[in-house]
Amino acid sequence: MIDERPPLVTFLLRIADDNLVLAQRLGELISWMPELEEDIAIANLSLDHLGQATAFLGYAAELTGTSDADQLAMTRNEREFLNSVMVERPNGDFGQTMARQFFVDAYQAPFYRALADSADERIAGVAAKAEKESRYHLEYSSSWLTRLGDGTEESHRRMQAGIDQMWPFVDDLFATDDIEIQLRVDGIAPELVDVRRSFDETVTNVFASARLSVPADPYQRLGGRRGFHSEHLGPLLAEMQSLYRAMPGVSW
């Protein structure tokens, strides 16, 4: 599928969709967490990601003449979403949820830090706020990886299983193409090699503290950034978009 959107819009949608889809996944957990404190924490994570998605979608809507962020979020189909495959993975147990969150946080913290220096002032401003949120997210998910990985035999087993389930989708977070290469030349997008270096350092340090291991299987599932998703995204979007599609343009 040829991407006919302006490069900047594609870039904005990739960032926004990561956050929008992850916010939806985290929102599924609200009221299901084992403790009230964790229920509030998960809700706050979801709201942070939703806020980031709304900011980037709002900018993309202005650039494309779309009415607003809601229209971009609620009317695009599965192939038009550009999120990484990682964020659409099901929640699973708490170990799997935290593994997904940790990998996204370890990517987003240095990504937003670099993006805050973007030549695009609108993007830089959103990224500066998002970077502060992502640092808290990383602290939260890292603490759970350590607590579970270095805990009981059962918690260690479940945390390692979560890592094993999410690891094949790590590289898709860093997938790049000519669009982002040109935006990096223009000073708009960050250098993903540097972001990946920071990510790897974080993973190494946290895994050491948590007694966790990087999976040996080299397989990596790519394609999310180009609209090629797993079987899990379609049902998620159907639920997320159902009210908007049933009553388009409604306000309350």
Side-chain angles (χ1 to χ4, degrees):
M1 182 174 63
I2 298 175
D3 191 341
E4 298 181 349
R5 291 172 290 247
L8 181 56
V9 172
T10 296
F11 179 63
L12 292 169
L13 290 178
R14 287 170 175 172
I15 305 171
D17 290 348
D18 270 358
N19 287 292
L20 180 61
V21 172
L22 184 56
Q24 180 72 8
R25 276 288 182 238
L26 293 170
E28 295 170 357
L29 295 170
I30 297 174
S31 82
W32 287 94
M33 300 302 288
E35 298 176 353
L36 179 59
E37 183 178 357
E38 295 309 319
D39 209 56
I40 294 172
I42 287 293
N44 284 332
L45 289 177
S46 179
L47 287 172
D48 283 347
H49 287 296
L50 183 59
Q52 293 166 21
T54 301
F56 286 113
L57 284 174
Y59 190 14
E62 292 179 19
L63 293 174
T64 58
T66 307
S67 62
D68 55 26
D70 286 344
Q71 185 178 351
L72 274 179
M74 300 301 177
T75 61
R76 284 180 296 143
N77 62 39
E78 181 179 340
R79 284 298 304 278
E80 293 173 307
F81 267 72
L82 304 179
N83 57 277
S84 65
V85 181
M86 171 78 75
V87 298
E88 67 199 46
R89 304 303 297 171
N91 291 314
D93 66 14
F94 192 65
Q96 184 171 327
T97 296
M98 282 299 103
R100 182 189 62 206
Q101 189 65 39
F102 170 72
F103 286 137
V104 173
D105 297 342
Y107 155 72
Q108 285 192 335
F111 177 80
Y112 282 139
R113 186 165 60 246
L115 193 61
D117 291 327
S118 174
D120 186 304
E121 293 184 0
R122 178 82 168 267
I123 290 176
V126 176
K129 180 178 183 296
E131 192 269 334
K132 296 176 183 177
E133 295 170 340
S134 67
R135 281 192 278 115
Y136 163 74
H137 297 176
L138 180 57
E139 180 180 343
Y140 175 78
S141 59
S142 296
S143 68
W144 270 113
L145 255 69
T146 302
R147 182 175 174 182
L148 296 174
D150 195 32
T152 67
E153 181 179 343
E154 177 66 8
S155 71
H156 175 82
R157 182 188 69 79
R158 286 177 176 266
M159 192 65 254
Q160 185 63 58
I163 294 296
D164 294 345
Q165 290 165 344
M166 291 298 170
W167 185 257
F169 310 102
V170 164
D171 282 4
D172 199 43
L173 291 167
F174 301 91
T176 190
D177 56 16
D178 291 343
I179 290 173
E180 296 201 20
I181 291 173
Q182 183 57 54
L183 290 177
R184 287 201 294 274
V185 172
D186 296 339
I188 296 174
E191 177 54 69
L192 288 182
V193 172
D194 296 334
V195 175
R196 183 59 189 259
R197 185 180 300 112
S198 179
F199 171 91
D200 289 340
E201 290 176 358
T202 298
V203 168
T204 298
N205 293 336
V206 173
F207 276 24
S209 298
R211 298 191 302 111
L212 296 168
S213 303
V214 173
D217 188 348
Y219 172 75
Q220 289 288 311
R221 163 67 158 83
L222 304 174
R225 300 296 190 206
R226 295 179 290 112
F228 296 101
H229 298 284
S230 69
E231 69 275 19
H232 302 294
L233 183 61
L236 180 149
L237 293 181
E239 180 178 4
M240 184 182 80
Q241 298 174 339
S242 59
L243 181 60
Y244 189 96
R245 288 180 178 271
M247 296 183 285
V250 69
S251 61
W252 56 84

